[in-house]
Amino acid sequence: MVRNIVVLGGSSHPQLNETICNHLGIPPSNILLGKFSVGETRVEIKESVRGKDVFIIQSGGGKVNDHLIELLITISACKTASAKRVTAVLPLFPYSRQSDIPYNKTGAPLAKAPMTYNKPDFYTFESRPQTPHPGHPESVGLNGSVDGLSKRFSKTNMEESSGSPITVTPHRARFSNTIANGSLKRSDTLDSTKSEVGSEQLNGPSNSTSHGPGHEDNASAASNPSKSSSFQPRPGYKQWVAQAGTLVADLLTCAGADHIITMDLHDPQYQGFFDIPVDNLYGRPLLKKYIRYNIPDYKDAVIVSPDAGGAKRATAIADGLGMDFALIHKERRPTRITDRQNATMMLVGNIARRTAILVDDLVDTSNTITRAAKLLKKEGAVKVYALLTHGVLSGDAIERINASALDKVVITNSVPQQEHQQRCPKLEILDVGTVFAEAIRRVHHGESISVLFQYD
């Protein structure tokens, strides 16, 4: 039995909370979790945590935003109650896939380059200077008639220096008074000038002097609408995107977390966003143990990575078990019919008449692994397994797996899997509760957890 420790379980995964407490030999702590009628999260800790080592277990599956807010409130409540140390245990880290640029369902960036260009010499407004290049036409100026104002000032100075009488139009009189007063109004821009020119053309000139130089300026500005066209961003304009992963790391730190324990981060670089210690446990030992004891003739099987991003993870397992390795190369090529990008998959390696084992860290919509299984069966694989650490399985992922060429899908219970297992007979669940319980015990006693990173 571990003493002077408090384990608080969130509402995201009650079964995992119970498994960890049973392994540690302590009863689950008394905590009240709920929502007010308005929808706000309610957290109330029913026992003292003063001077205790507190571990809060909350996974990132299901209602991710509600679970994240619940975790932040619980961390803050423990720090306010004078807890000695607060450790957030996150089997599946929320927003871990948004550490850089968010991706949409097809995997292509949200801000894409233009498909076609109107001319080979393509410039956006920011990259094209106001001064034209040799042999190129003058670029469009800013909206608000900067060119028109400069021409008016230059002509006014020339007429004043030459001493010739200045022909006054109603608009020029107002423009001159504005210059004398030292301020420009919104009505003195080119938009109002064009509107007055249009009204004079329709209603006729207000006096006999309306055909002076000022009228010529207005007519030239109205006859060349390209000079005064408002700025419109080109199709290649890159929109600004938020990096939610950095924000979540800052929220956990500001709430009062002193330590983070998680498993198989989608991007290992995510640990660099924190100013506090982060222990990223690996699910590889569990997957290797399953391959060694549950797949017949595993030495003749092939470890396959469904994309280039997971190649390092798959090769680590293949090298540890002395197995062959293959890779599925995914190339996204835009089509002219639609804005979506279709991914062309190609197998690099030989899996004919052999068992293929797909290895990845996370499955969400299961689009990638089902397409990979179809390709492997087409290339001659006898049987296709899929071994994944986190099984989110959102949307129609279960229906896709049931109708796919996959023979078995092995995932861990880092998120609740009871409902998924009832709907999909191909699923097999591995328990990670003992791994997190051992990590909690070692962190509490100040022992090294490097043994949990060993693969053999």
Side-chain angles (χ1 to χ4, degrees):
M1 180 177 178
V2 182
R3 300 182 181 274
N4 201 28
I5 185 174
V6 175
V7 176
L8 299 175
S11 60
S12 62
H13 203 337
Q15 292 79 13
L16 184 63
N17 304 338
E18 184 178 356
T19 301
I20 293 176
C21 290
N22 291 338
H23 186 80
L24 294 174
I26 59 175
S29 300
N30 191 6
I31 182 174
L32 176 62
L33 302 172
K35 283 184 174 294
F36 294 102
S37 59
V38 72
E40 296 179 353
T41 302
R42 178 188 180 188
V43 177
E44 185 176 349
I45 303 174
K46 296 288 188 177
E47 60 183 73
S48 175
V49 296
R50 180 178 295 273
K52 301 290 186 64
D53 197 3
V54 180
F55 293 85
I56 306 173
I57 305 170
Q58 186 80 297
S59 189
K63 300 178 181 179
V64 182
N65 296 328
D66 290 342
H67 296 159
L68 178 60
I69 292 297
E70 182 180 283
L71 173 64
L72 296 175
I73 295 176
T74 308
I75 293 174
S76 178
C78 293
K79 295 297 288 188
T80 306
S82 302
K84 180 180 179 181
R85 181 176 61 180
V86 178
T87 302
V89 182
L90 301 161
L92 172 59
F93 200 97
Y95 289 87
S96 61
R97 288 186 291 175
Q98 298 190 35
S99 58
D100 188 10
I101 298 178
Y103 284 75
N104 62 5
K105 188 174 182 180
T106 59
L110 294 178
K112 298 185 288 296
M115 300 302 176
T116 58
Y117 303 112
N118 296 329
K119 54 183 179 179
D121 188 9
F122 181 78
Y123 293 96
T124 59
F125 182 81
E126 291 82 6
S127 61
R128 182 67 179 271
Q130 181 67 20
T131 304
H133 288 236
H136 291 265
E138 185 178 356
S139 60
V140 179
L142 291 172
N143 187 22
S145 71
V146 176
D147 296 336
L149 287 176
S150 61
K151 290 180 180 179
R152 290 178 184 276
F153 280 119
S154 61
K155 287 193 175 185
T156 303
N157 295 333
M158 290 176 60
E159 291 174 351
E160 290 179 353
S161 60
S162 61
S164 59
I166 302 175
T167 306
V168 179
T169 62
H171 177 72
R172 179 173 290 274
R174 184 179 62 193
F175 183 75
S176 301
N177 294 334
T178 305
I179 297 176
N181 295 333
S183 63
L184 287 175
K185 298 181 180 179
R186 174 65 182 86
S187 59
D188 296 324
T189 59
L190 186 58
D191 296 333
S192 61
T193 304
K194 291 193 295 183
S195 62
E196 291 185 357
V197 171
S199 62
E200 289 181 359
Q201 291 176 352
L202 293 175
N203 302 328
S206 58
N207 50 36
S208 60
T209 61
S210 61
H211 297 283
H215 180 75
E216 295 177 0
D217 296 341
N218 297 338
S220 62
S223 62
N224 190 6
S226 62
K227 282 286 188 178
S228 59
S229 61
S230 60
F231 166 67
Q232 296 294 336
R234 300 283 185 152
Y237 178 75
K238 186 175 179 61
Q239 300 178 358
W240 183 87
V241 289
Q243 296 181 0
T246 309
L247 175 62
V248 172
D250 294 338
L251 286 173
L252 289 171
T253 305
C254 294
D258 301 305
H259 191 190
I260 302 293
I261 300 177
T262 185
M263 175 176 281
D264 274 355
L265 282 171
H266 187 69
D267 290 327
Q269 65 183 11
Y270 202 95
Q271 303 175 62
F273 296 154
F274 288 92
D275 296 329
I276 57 178
V278 178
D279 288 327
N280 182 27
L281 306 179
Y282 296 121
R284 269 174 261 178
L286 292 174
L287 303 182
K288 290 174 63 176
K289 183 178 180 181
Y290 180 87
I291 294 173
R292 185 180 287 112
Y293 294 105
N294 295 276
I295 297 180
D297 299 329
Y298 72 92
K299 287 287 186 179
D300 297 331
V302 181
I303 300 292
V304 182
S305 175
D307 51 25
K312 187 176 181 180
R313 183 184 307 105
T315 52
I317 296 178
D319 294 341
L321 296 174
M323 302 170 61
D324 292 336
F325 169 74
L327 172 68
I328 293 179
H329 174 64
K330 187 188 302 182
E331 183 179 12
R332 290 183 171 89
R333 297 179 180 178
T335 60
R336 297 184 180 180
I337 300 175
T338 176
D339 196 28
R340 294 184 59 185
Q341 291 186 342
N342 298 330
T344 303
M345 306 182 77
M346 181 180 62
L347 178 65
V348 181
N350 183 20
I351 50 93
R353 297 181 299 276
R354 303 173 73 179
T355 300
I357 304 174
L358 287 166
V359 177
D360 207 351
D361 67 324
L362 187 144
V363 55
D364 188 0
T365 60
S366 72
N367 184 37
T368 300
I369 62 169
T370 52
R371 292 187 62 189
K374 182 180 178 180
L375 176 62
L376 294 175
K377 282 293 183 72
K378 183 180 177 181
E379 295 292 335
V382 177
K383 212 168 185 179
V384 179
Y385 290 83
L387 274 65
L388 311 135
T389 305
H390 305 296
V392 180
L393 302 178
S394 62
D396 58 349
I398 297 295
E399 288 75 13
R400 286 184 180 179
I401 292 176
N402 289 332
S404 68
L406 289 167
D407 296 290
K408 185 169 287 189
V409 178
V410 182
I411 55 179
T412 67
N413 63 341
S414 59
V415 295
Q417 302 292 349
Q418 287 77 13
E419 181 182 354
H420 298 156
Q421 196 171 15
Q422 294 174 2
R423 296 169 52 196
C424 183
K426 297 181 179 181
L427 285 183
E428 188 169 345
I429 311 301
L430 302 179
D431 187 21
V432 296
T434 56
V435 178
F436 281 101
E438 182 64 18
I440 290 174
R441 189 193 67 81
R442 288 177 173 271
V443 169
H444 174 67
H445 291 295
E447 301 176 8
S448 174
I449 64 171
S450 60
V451 65
L452 301 178
F453 301 116
Q454 295 177 4
Y455 309 139
D456 300 329

